[in-house]
């Protein structure tokens, strides 16, 4: 009986090992990203930043971190880069300030946290996690959210930290006008500046996180899809974890992230088919452009977009490890 | 042939008449509403206010108004009553102010508008409609939303308008504490103070609107489900129009309003079965309590809640015309 017991233990151990797929995907925004408007240096810088953000979450997963920890790490890394429209690289509002949004969701228990219209916080995604874990609420915004951040002793940075010459010049182009997005120009890429991550950990749990610096020259305290559970971010172990980037208003109206989940849960679609249906069909029908990244509890990854390009990366423990920008 | 043609026209005319169902439903919040804690006078006042709000939308529908007009009218009437936690009757925040949220959605084109954390605006639902129709955005919050309201020449009221002795005393009970909701007390009813309306018009279009004054003693710029498309409010001609009321954080995490729509669209459920599944099963599983009202493009109405009561009313052109409070 001792031998039989030992055999069972070995089998269990083997199953656990084979079950422990690890997957992570990230994005740094989607839009009109054309190779001809890139320099080799700029492209290399983007690839390095994407790989570093991807690795920070993946290495954490390999060391036993939860999916929530991994997506927080990867998104924090993207927020700390001046290249992406989130955290340090946030664009300027019409008032010359920075208003950032972020959210996070844990697929194992459907817990979620979100913040909107916050200024000065170094890592909005970390604040959204504190909202999830340390407040009675899901979604805090504006001055109230900043008061909460102070109580939580979040790291704040002054305006010099968020200043970037490129972003400032972007703002100067449209300052004083009603323009908040530059259609039909190469600057359109910045319209969709959002970062995000989705991950599967060794415990079989999935999670999603999203962060954005909003739109250049945006006014009126506009809230996009990024901090909205179900629209720009969603995670549920039963289906998928999703982080979106695109023309936020359309993503809100189409409840994009939860739509992917519902197509899987209610129609029995695969992750790939559900993502394709939402991004290439349902979203297009109402005029929305952008993309999303998604992972399911089996470790499948999907990077879907209907734009020219999407800053993106994916890595798993089955040999995939890549970053990309164009189609 | 003239006779045959005339017959066809009559048939068409008959079909059109039979097709033009008109339906409207409203709610004034769900929660622990016990008959024993009501006076006959208070109960009568609630019933009168509910009937007046119901009628204002219904009469508009009969006169040819759109569903969007009807839900805006009914919700405005509820906002103008001191009895419900929205508009004039909004509860006090921890700072002794009023922070209101509202949203509206047009099922014919999936257009939506929402506002959050606004003060002084007489009818937040009307501001949410202006966001939908006059801005490039879906969701505006805080000071920015107020600037937009000023540009739109919205009607503002001073703090005296929003002052209510009963609400003030509610606040005094918990002021200076971290309590923002009073579980296990008769005041729990006010935790769920939200109003809403859903309607079907003669054109076959449906719409939904929701408005709230938030939670007594709420802090940190908490945003609930009411202004969130897909969570507290949603409308789509293909499925249903939904307005929710309840423990907002759970409604956000469960993406309640869009979940009802997805069960109809992807699982082929009836309005009644979809509402029941979400409110009595899926929401309960994560600990959420509250309710919702819903209508579909055929004019079916569903008033579903898992609490002791819900202030509610429904009226159609098939003879239904009723308001109710308890189970």
């Amino acid at each position: 009986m001792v031998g039989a017991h030992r055999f069972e233990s070995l089998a269990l151990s083997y199953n656990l090992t084979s079950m422990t797929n690890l997957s992570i995907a990230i994005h740094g925004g989607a839009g009109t990203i054309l190779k001809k408007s890139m320099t080799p240096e700029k492209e290399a810088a983007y690839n390095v930043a994407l790989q570093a953000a991807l690795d920070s979450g993946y290495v954490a997963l390999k060391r036993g971190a939860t999916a929530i920890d991994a997506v927080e790490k990867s998104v924090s890394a993207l927020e700390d880069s001046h290249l992406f429209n989130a955290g340090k690289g946030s664009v300027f509002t019409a008032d010359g300030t920075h208003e950032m949004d972020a959210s996070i969701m844990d697929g194992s228990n459907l817990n979620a946290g979100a913040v909107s219209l916050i200024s000065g916080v170094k890592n909005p995604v970390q604040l959204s996690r504190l909202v999830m874990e340390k407040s009675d609420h899901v979604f805090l915004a504006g001055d109230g959210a900043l008061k909460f951040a102070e109580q939580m002793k979040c790291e704040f940075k002054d305006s010099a930290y968020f200043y970037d010459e490129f972003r400032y010049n972007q703002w100067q182009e449209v300052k004083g006008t009603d323009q908040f997005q530059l259609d039909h120009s190469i600057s359109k890429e910045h319209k969709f500046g959002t970062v995000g991550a989705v991950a599967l950990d060794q415990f079989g749990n999935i999670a999603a996180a999203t962060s954005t610096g909003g739109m250049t020259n945006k006014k009126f305290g506009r809230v996009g899809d990024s901090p909205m559970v179900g629209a720009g971010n969603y995670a549920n172990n039963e289906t998928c974890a999703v982080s979106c980037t695109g023309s936020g208003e359309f993503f809100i109206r189409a409840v994009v992230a939860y739509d992917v989940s519902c197509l899987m849960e209610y129609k029995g679609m695969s992750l790939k088919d559900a993502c394709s249906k939402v991004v290439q069909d349902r979203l297009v029908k109402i005029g929305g452009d952008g993309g999303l990244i998604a992972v399911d509890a089996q470790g499948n990854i999907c990077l879907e977009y209907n734009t020219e390009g999407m800053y993106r990366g994916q890595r798993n423990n089955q040999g995939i490890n890549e970053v990309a920008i164009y189609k």
Side-chain angles (χ1 to χ4, degrees), chain A:
Chain A
M1 288 300 285
V2 173
H5 181 75
R6 194 170 159 230
F7 178 77
E8 271 175 35
S9 293
L10 281 171
L12 183 65
S13 164
Y14 173 78
N15 281 334
L16 273 175
T17 306
S18 72
M19 277 168 64
T20 50
N21 289 329
L22 300 176
S23 291
I24 187 162
I26 61 166
H27 71 78
T32 308
I33 306 168
L34 297 174
K35 205 172 171 67
K36 64 179 182 189
S37 61
M38 271 278 196
T39 62
E41 294 74 22
K42 200 172 161 190
E43 194 175 311
Y46 272 110
N47 284 330
V48 166
L50 286 168
Q51 189 68 54
L54 187 65
D55 291 348
S56 71
Y58 184 73
V59 167
L61 287 175
K62 283 290 279 185
R63 288 182 181 157
T66 62
I68 275 284
D69 282 333
V71 296
E72 182 187 332
K73 271 188 196 300
S74 284
V75 169
S76 294
L78 292 162
E79 287 175 340
D80 291 344
S81 165
H82 71 284
L83 293 171
F84 306 102
N85 178 21
K88 180 171 173 52
S90 293
V91 298
F92 284 84
T93 66
D95 297 331
T97 61
H98 303 280
E99 283 180 348
M100 303 175 286
D101 303 340
S103 63
I104 197 164
M105 189 160 182
D106 184 339
S108 70
N109 52 21
L110 303 184
N111 281 344
V115 292
S116 185
L117 305 175
I118 58 165
S119 301
V121 173
K122 178 172 173 281
N123 290 106
V125 70
Q126 293 172 18
L127 180 57
S128 73
R129 183 166 179 182
L130 288 166
V131 171
M132 176 172 79
E133 295 181 348
K134 307 287 186 192
S135 86
D136 296 301
H137 304 303
V138 168
F139 192 176
L140 304 182
D143 293 342
L146 289 175
K147 269 189 209 166
F148 178 75
E150 282 161 15
Q151 282 196 13
M152 292 291 120
K153 306 196 188 310
C154 276
E155 188 176 358
F156 279 78
K157 290 284 188 182
D158 62 19
S159 57
Y161 174 81
F162 295 97
Y163 179 82
D164 179 82
E165 194 178 352
F166 177 69
R167 299 293 187 208
Y168 185 78
N169 290 336
Q170 277 188 316
W171 174 47
Q172 292 301 310
E173 283 177 38
V174 289
K175 188 182 168 184
T177 73
D178 282 336
Q179 236 182 326
F180 57 86
Q181 57 192 39
L182 300 169
D183 286 313
H184 315 300
S185 91
I186 55 160
S187 301
K188 190 180 175 186
E189 67 178 278
H190 306 293
K191 175 180 163 189
F192 296 160
T194 301
V195 306
V198 293
L200 164 69
D201 65 27
Q202 61 171 321
F203 312 105
N205 295 324
I206 58 178
T210 306
S211 180
T212 186
M215 289 172 159
T216 296
N217 208 39
K218 89 181 169 86
K219 291 194 288 195
F220 301 137
R222 176 254 188 188
V223 180
D225 62 314
S226 302
M228 290 180 70
V229 174
N233 199 71
Y234 185 74
N236 182 344
N237 276 5
E238 302 299 317
T239 52
C240 56
V242 180
S243 171
C244 301
T245 171
S247 46
E249 277 68 15
F250 296 93
F251 280 67
I252 293 173
R253 291 164 55 206
V255 202
V256 166
Y258 191 57
D259 205 26
V260 174
S261 177
C262 286
L263 283 168
M264 294 178 72
E265 182 170 5
Y266 298 146
K267 294 276 268 189
M269 280 191 183
S270 67
L271 181 78
K272 186 172 177 294
D273 289 347
C275 291
S276 172
K277 177 77 181 170
V278 171
V279 174
Q280 310 299 349
D281 180 25
R282 291 173 69 88
L283 194 55
V284 170
K285 275 179 184 157
I286 63 167
D289 46 1
L292 57 80
I293 55 171
V295 67
D296 65 19
Q298 288 70 52
N300 296 302
I301 293 173
C302 188
L303 312 171
E304 191 80 36
Y305 54 99
N306 60 27
T307 47
E308 292 294 323
M310 179 167 77
Y311 299 103
R312 62 198 186 274
Q314 58 178 326
R315 190 166 177 189
N316 68 12
N317 59 350
Q318 314 293 314
I320 291 177
N321 182 10
E322 59 188 29
V323 297
I325 301 178
Y326 318 106
K327 249 184 192 154

